[in-house]
Amino acid sequence: MSNKKILVLPGDGIGNEVMAEVLKIIDWLSKTRSMSFEISERLVGGTAYDKEGDSISDETMQEALDADAVLFGAVGGPQWDNVEREKRPEAALLRLRKELDLFANLRPAVVFDALAEASPLKLNLVKGLDILILRELTSGVYFGQPRGVSKINDDEEKAIDTQSYTTSEITRITRVAFDLAKLRDNKVTSVEKSNVMETGMFWKNTVSNIHQKEFQDVELFHMLADNCAMQLVRNPKQFDVILTDNLFGDLLSDIAAMLTGSLGMLPSASLGPIAENGSRAAMYEPVHGSAPDIAGQGKANPLAMIMSFAMMLKYSFNMQEDSVLVENAVQAVLSKGLRTADISDGADKIVSTQDMGKAVIEELNNLSGS
Ligand code: NAD
């Protein structure tokens, strides 16, 4: 019997609706498998701003630091558009990433057989697709100094962003990439612009050094970022793990996301460094936002949130079997033709958020024989 501390942060809009379905799955796992979870739930985002005066309170931040893992819904909405920048809903997300030092962002792009037709790409290109984009999340051009806008003369101004990476920043994300590849198809493609950028060449050399010294048993390929963007739509199944920096990861993960056809199906994980006691800060969240246009209507697809939880089981708690069980339950529900509106092609039976959650639990019962 293990006791895992999870901080649950549903957030705003559909964040609450999709999180409610995951909580039922956590409850199911606690009752039917030999594990227990210590769940603590707090406000975050606009809801927290309204009730607590900030998008994430110091107490909530402390709980996040103390938890084994954070499960995050989504934040934001038009009613908070005019809130001051440091208290806006999205500021909570940035604070969590920064204070938990979540440098490794994992975005799987998996095409379920039952949904392959929903991809904008041809069926033969995406059927069976299972790739993982690993994006460096806490450095690079979004954080590099100097940055800002300065005046050159009365008619001219200049804006600067700085792309910067240190050896240790690249080394730690590279190790994560190789470790993840070992659990998958053992192949890493490192992506940069070594043909035109100093940081690109530095990135490539640093990745090669780590590969040479520590991971010769994993296949390593290098690819230029513009070529990678093209290859992702030309032949995405050539990839296993794509390792890249913050800026290119931002763009390439959105391209990979679209291969799967729907935002409501995309989970993500963000991992921090491994501490001396072996623990690692981690946050799991769907890629989608708070979807104010459908919030409160029972239309949200809870599967991205549910699969984010499956990633938590895999990466934070080493519960591979249970993680696969949840993924298989999702797959089974889709195979039976159940669809929320976002993944429906019009012909399927459209179900509500709650019915989709219920169907996943039914499949968990079927698959586990309970
Ligand atoms: P969004 O992801 O919330 O929605 C984009 C579109 O996809 C909408 O039409 C929405 O209805 C649909 N959609 C998203 N998730 C869905 C789901 N699970 N099921 C069915 N349909 C789904 O992006 P947006 O509209 O650009 O942003 C809305 C708010 O969310 C903004 O305030 C934005 O800042 C915020 N946001 C938050 C996060 C986050 O919390 N991580 C991420 C992105 C956007």
Side-chain angles (χ1 to χ4, degrees):
M1 192 82 163
S2 54
N3 201 10
K4 311 290 186 197
K5 265 166 79 174
I6 304 177
L7 175 63
V8 169
L9 301 174
D12 308 317
I14 65 165
N16 293 286
E17 296 163 62
V18 294
M19 189 67 84
E21 301 314 309
V22 175
L23 289 173
K24 291 176 198 163
I25 290 175
I26 296 178
D27 192 44
W28 182 91
L29 279 172
S30 310
K31 284 185 182 137
T32 54
R33 318 286 281 183
S34 56
M35 68 182 73
S36 76
F37 298 99
E38 197 181 311
I39 306 289
S40 157
E41 188 171 329
R42 283 194 166 258
L43 301 177
V44 75
T47 322
Y49 174 79
D50 288 345
K51 299 231 170 86
E52 297 172 349
D54 204 342
S55 60
I56 182 163
S57 68
D58 291 343
E59 293 74 28
T60 304
M61 192 59 235
Q62 191 54 49
E63 275 209 40
L65 289 162
D66 294 340
D68 291 317
V70 177
L71 197 56
F72 189 95
V75 292
Q79 61 272 54
W80 299 290
D81 276 354
N82 297 322
V83 170
E84 62 266 50
R85 181 181 265 274
E86 62 278 12
K87 293 194 172 181
R88 286 178 66 120
E90 294 76 11
L93 205 46
L94 297 182
R95 184 172 176 196
L96 281 160
R97 284 180 186 158
K98 184 158 178 255
E99 294 195 22
L100 295 172
D101 195 11
L102 302 174
F103 68 92
N105 182 232
L106 285 67
R107 282 226 214 160
V110 176
V111 173
F112 290 91
D113 281 355
L115 291 183
E117 303 274 3
S119 171
L121 259 60
K122 289 194 183 111
L123 190 62
N124 66 320
L125 291 181
V126 293
K127 197 158 191 281
L129 181 77
D130 180 354
I131 62 178
L132 178 67
I133 308 250
L134 182 65
R135 167 186 172 194
E136 198 292 326
L137 200 61
T138 51
S139 184
V141 75
Y142 295 161
F143 295 93
Q145 293 292 339
R147 61 183 289 154
V149 181
S150 60
K151 199 167 172 159
I152 297 176
N153 58 43
D154 283 349
D155 301 322
E156 196 81 352
E157 288 182 308
K158 180 163 95 169
I160 295 181
D161 292 292
T162 301
Q163 165 81 328
S164 120
Y165 271 105
T166 62
T167 310
S168 52
E169 284 168 345
I170 302 172
T171 301
R172 65 178 185 171
I173 188 86
T174 300
R175 289 201 174 106
V176 175
F178 285 124
D179 283 338
L180 288 170
K182 284 182 176 181
L183 302 172
R184 300 169 47 91
D185 285 346
N186 217 34
K187 191 166 126 180
V188 170
T189 305
S190 171
V191 172
E192 28 58 22
K193 286 285 286 177
S194 53
N195 54 342
V196 285
M197 294 172 76
E198 294 297 329
T199 45
M201 186 50 83
F202 185 63
W203 179 282
K204 184 177 179 182
N205 291 339
T206 309
V207 171
S208 291
N209 281 341
I210 299 295
H211 178 248
Q212 187 67 25
K213 285 190 196 135
E214 300 173 27
F215 295 98
Q216 285 193 31
D217 51 339
V218 182
E219 268 190 292
L220 171 66
F221 298 87
H222 298 282
M223 192 177 275
L224 297 177
D226 44 349
N227 186 25
C228 183
M230 194 170 72
Q231 295 299 331
L232 271 172
V233 287
R234 188 179 158 269
N235 178 17
K237 283 192 261 181
Q238 69 184 281
F239 297 110
D240 177 26
V241 175
I242 293 177
L243 162 66
T244 191
D245 73 10
N246 204 343
L247 174 64
F248 296 137
D250 196 356
L251 309 181
L252 296 173
S253 61
D254 272 16
I255 299 177
M258 271 326 290
L259 303 180
T260 70
S262 169
L263 258 181
M265 294 298 301
L266 291 165
S268 81
S270 301
L271 308 178
I274 299 175
E276 271 176 22
N277 65 4
S279 69
R280 157 173 254 165
M283 186 158 86
Y284 299 84
E285 54 178 319
V287 169
H288 64 74
S290 57
D293 54 334
I294 56 164
Q297 301 172 33
K299 287 183 181 167
N301 183 348
L303 296 181
M305 186 79 244
I306 289 172
M307 287 189 293
S308 300
F309 174 64
M311 289 185 84
M312 178 186 281
L313 294 174
K314 189 183 292 176
Y315 295 116
S316 277
F317 302 151
N318 201 20
M319 294 172 174
Q320 312 294 339
E321 214 182 294
D322 299 283
S323 174
V324 171
L325 179 69
V326 174
E327 284 168 1
N328 287 347
V330 168
Q331 180 115 31
V333 164
L334 294 171
S335 306
K336 289 187 175 162
L338 265 81
R339 303 279 188 271
T340 41
D342 58 311
I343 50 173
S344 160
D345 62 2
D348 305 291
K349 184 172 178 256
I350 295 180
V351 298
S352 67
T353 310
Q354 286 191 329
D355 285 344
M356 187 58 108
K358 211 165 129 194
V360 174
I361 302 259
E362 272 165 26
E363 289 304 332
L364 285 171
N365 282 325
N366 292 341
L367 292 169
S368 65
S370 47

